[in-house]
Amino acid sequence: MCTSPDHTQGEAPQAGAGRRGFLRATALLGAAATAGVALPGSADAAPAARRPDPDSRRFTLAVMPDTQYLFDGPSIDPRPFEASLRYLLEHGRDENIVFLAHLGDLTQNGAAPEFAAIGKAFGILDRRGAGYSVLAGNHDVRSSTDDQRGPTPYLDTFGPRRFRGARTFGGASDDGYNTFHLFRAAGREWMVLALDWRLSAKGYVWAKEVLGAHPKTAVVLTTHELVVADDTLSDYGQQLWDQLIEDHDQIFLTLNGHYWPAGRATRRNAAGNDVHLHLTNYQNRYFGGAAMIRLYRFDLDRNVIDVETVSPWILGRAGQGLNELERQEIELSGDADRFSVAVDFADRFAGFDPVPARPARPASTMVIPGTAAYWRFESAVSGTGTVRDRSGRGNDLTVVSVGGGTLGWSADHHPDQPGHGSLEFQGYKSPLKGAYLRTVEGAPLNSAEFEDGYTIEAFYRLPADWDASHHAWSGLVSRTGRNGFAGPVTDDPDEPLATLSITDGPGPQWAVRPLDQRRLATNWGDETARETWWHLAVVNDGRHTTLYVQGCPVARNPHAAAVGIASAGLPWLLGGYEYAGKIDQILHGRLGDVRIVARALPVSAFMTH
């Protein structure tokens, strides 16, 4: 960055390193002797880079801003820079580091010896095939020029020839100053679009052509100057926004250096989506920033990017004893340097690369060996209608109305549900009102005891107005008949023989009277959010019962043996719950496909697969 007064920002107060940073430093030092993490003066002993996992939903993008003071004429010192590169190689696997983006001002004066030194240092990554990008900052080239400036020491060192053959290199503009890089992570393609200090008209045309050629690729734009401070763009940054970023929805994140202290801005693009614009630069800090790096940890399951800022060089020196300033810089923990950005990736990328909805699957494919009953709701059910058992075993359902209640229907469904539709139950506790479903008299399911095991699956969604005081303890799937009918009991004799219910959490609970016990056995699930579709599965292997939520076993699965389900020869209910032989509560929410199989199924055979 320019060190003239009109470009320099004041240094913001920064919190010292936290306990976690020192713990990490200690661990890193222990690994350094054998793993090649750079202590000052260490040899280039880092192991070969392992390829990132392209399918993991968690990955890390590393970012390094202005390193110019480390490559400044007679005071060139590559040690901190090399330590950062070795750190990325050493942690590449456990962090799933997919790429490093340098934000420009690699050197102080743009001189050939400076570029020779940093070019040699980058050889640490070149020799191991690690993906990275660089771009020219105003100190790397004559700042009054744009990307049509012609030959420079920067271009001699980091021109397209250097990257040809690299697996992440996508291409460069004809002038060589703008490049794009592609990598796979979380099962999709991502781009780093690395742009020069100043784009010419030709540069803008090239960038738009690159974006147009990759219409479904999510893009991180890197450049040297864009954000100048929190919520503020520089004049050139505003030009980039107006001429490129705003109209290209693929660009969801931008990264730049040049100014300090670190800052962030968020702008709404032409498609109505947020673009996160981040400024990161530490050249004003101890040892010229010591080649400090930002780690952008993407987590597509949690829909978040967790950002952390560390100094690998200082981390590696921790065991030797740090000086006063190093202790301040080992890890930056202020709000500007460690934070999280919430991004609903599927929703954010839907405008240019929507996730296709999973098509409905034929009912016949869900009727697997051992299926005792299978119900799906692809159309409305009238007040006196019947829901056919798609297994063909005759376990049809009829509607039972309480207090004039009816069943609604919705096309809404769990994204992995085989049938595309759900019934809407509108139960209410007091006065009791709603409608539910009951198996017909003589249905084979009514007398089944499942001694050899069973799997019960259901999809459900609770609305925003679900209230425990009015709606708790309703059944998704339950068996009627009092607990006491199955013989002597040591607990409540009026509970039903089996019920997959919604607790007051709300959350799922499976309570069953096994054939080999004199009391109910209970599996407790965790709280499940409203306005979200959930899949439940209760699996008994003939000895033990496990409750799964979204294919994941819950913590409170009892270890005691539980064989089968006691029966009084009475109907099963969907959406209803009986107590003391009488309907006591009716579901308030949506219920999707329900399947009962007379054997234990592995997770891979659930209806979600």
Side-chain angles (χ1 to χ4, degrees), residues 2 11 25 249 280 353 416 448 457 511 549 557:
C2 277
E11 181 177 348
D249 193 33
T280 175
D353 188 20
D416 289 321
E457 294 181 80
V549 178
N557 284 314

Side-chain angles (χ1 to χ4, degrees), residues 28-278:
L28 182 61
L29 181 70
T34 57
V37 176
L39 301 179
S42 68
D44 181 6
R50 298 179 178 91
R51 289 289 179 90
D53 182 347
D55 298 313
S56 173
R57 306 263 299 168
R58 294 168 62 96
F59 66 92
T60 300
L61 172 67
V63 180
M64 185 185 294
D66 310 48
T67 51
Q68 62 203 69
Y69 294 158
L70 300 176
F71 299 93
D72 180 11
S75 59
I76 291 174
D77 187 346
R79 293 175 302 161
F81 184 82
E82 292 173 347
S84 289
L85 300 187
R86 292 191 181 97
Y87 178 95
L88 297 178
L89 292 173
E90 170 64 21
H91 291 263
R93 183 173 185 178
D94 56 296
E95 292 271 6
N96 198 27
I97 298 173
V98 295
F99 198 79
L100 165 67
H102 195 293
L103 301 181
D105 274 4
L106 296 103
T107 68
Q108 174 64 13
N109 305 294
E114 296 170 345
F115 275 109
I118 194 169
K120 179 181 178 182
F122 263 114
I124 293 172
L125 299 187
D126 294 329
R127 289 188 291 276
R128 290 155 179 80
Y132 68 94
S133 65
V134 297
L135 54 91
N138 57 301
H139 277 261
D140 298 316
V141 294
R142 199 151 45 92
S143 62
S144 60
T145 62
D146 61 24
D147 57 18
Q148 301 304 303
R149 65 183 63 87
T152 60
Y154 168 88
L155 207 58
D156 291 340
T157 305
F158 292 109
R161 287 193 305 273
R162 185 184 190 106
F163 296 98
R164 288 198 179 104
R167 58 187 174 82
T168 57
F169 183 59
S173 55
D174 290 341
D175 50 76
Y177 285 100
N178 304 289
T179 59
F180 74 96
H181 308 259
L182 301 169
F183 59 86
R184 289 197 65 82
R188 63 169 299 131
E189 184 177 76
W190 307 73
M191 178 191 296
V192 170
L193 181 61
L195 301 180
D196 185 70
W197 151 251
R198 288 292 185 265
L199 276 187
S200 65
K202 289 183 178 180
Y204 278 110
V205 170
W206 175 84
K208 292 173 184 178
E209 288 176 346
V210 169
L211 295 172
H214 300 82
K216 294 185 176 183
T217 302
V219 176
V220 178
L221 184 149
T222 61
T223 191
H224 188 57
E225 178 187 339
L226 204 164
V227 177
V228 63
D230 277 344
D231 302 318
T232 306
L233 308 188
S234 70
D235 290 343
Y236 177 68
Q238 187 63 50
Q239 180 192 117
L240 272 176
W241 175 267
D242 293 340
Q243 296 191 31
L244 182 65
I245 301 169
E246 183 177 24
D247 291 329
H248 289 84
D249 193 33
Q250 297 163 258
I251 303 172
F252 71 98
L253 174 66
T254 73
L255 305 169
N256 72 276
H258 191 52
Y259 298 101
W260 64 69
R264 286 178 279 163
T266 303
R267 292 287 181 92
R268 188 67 57 87
N269 67 16
N273 291 316
D274 284 346
V275 181
H276 301 280
L277 307 104
H278 292 182

Side-chain angles (χ1 to χ4, degrees), residues 383-395:
T384 59
T386 298
V387 177
R388 185 165 59 91
D389 172 15
R390 305 300 288 270
S391 76
R393 296 185 177 275
N395 296 298

